[in-house]
Amino acid sequence: ATHIGIFADVWVKHGEPLGQRTDMLESAGEILYRGLADALIVTGRVTGAPVQLDHLTLLRRALPDAALIAGSGVNEDNVATIAPVVDAAIVGTGIKRDGITTNAVSSFRAEHLVNLWKRR
């Protein structure tokens, strides 16, 4: 049987839930256990904005077996603190030329970030 993975955002960037955001852990648990997600993606508020380390730490402690992905804002300045808490990262702006979202990917920045990630 083929397994199709479900990667689901917890409090997705650029969006607001219809109800009031109150408990990130409750939202994550619903996504993971009721929604049957295979991985949880945690982002900053907008494209390129770093995810809050306290959000990642909260989820890692409460859901230690969950696949946890940093979904925005990972760059050379914060990868050393984010990488140990997550299983993976989705990176865009952090590897773009001059760190500008609309620029092309910089092979130097990409290689440098991967090397920093591997040091975790």
Side-chain angles (χ1 to χ4, degrees):
T2 301
H3 179 78
I4 298 173
I6 299 171
F7 288 36
D9 285 293
V10 179
W11 292 3
V12 64
K13 63 184 174 185
H14 300 291
E16 290 291 331
L18 293 175
Q20 185 178 18
R21 286 185 179 189
T22 57
D23 188 336
M24 177 174 265
L25 183 55
E26 181 180 280
S27 296
E30 283 285 305
I31 292 166
L32 191 64
Y33 300 118
R34 203 175 117 203
L36 303 177
D38 296 298
L40 300 173
I41 303 169
V42 184
T43 65
R45 297 287 293 184
V46 297
T47 298
V51 60
Q52 292 183 21
L53 188 58
D54 61 329
H55 289 172
L56 293 175
T57 303
L58 168 74
L59 295 177
R60 175 53 67 215
R61 286 184 184 145
L63 305 166
D65 297 327
L68 190 57
I69 300 170
S72 70
V74 176
N75 58 48
E76 64 184 31
D77 296 327
N78 63 19
V79 67
T81 57
I82 291 175
V85 184
V86 298
D87 300 293
I90 299 169
V91 180
T93 304
I95 59 172
K96 297 291 184 87
R97 193 175 60 240
D98 301 322
I100 298 172
T101 304
T102 55
N103 283 351
V105 170
S106 161
S107 59
F108 171 78
R109 288 175 68 104
E111 186 174 340
H112 182 60
L113 190 62
V114 168
N115 287 332
L116 291 172
W117 178 272
K118 288 180 178 178
R119 292 182 193 167
R120 67 182 177 143

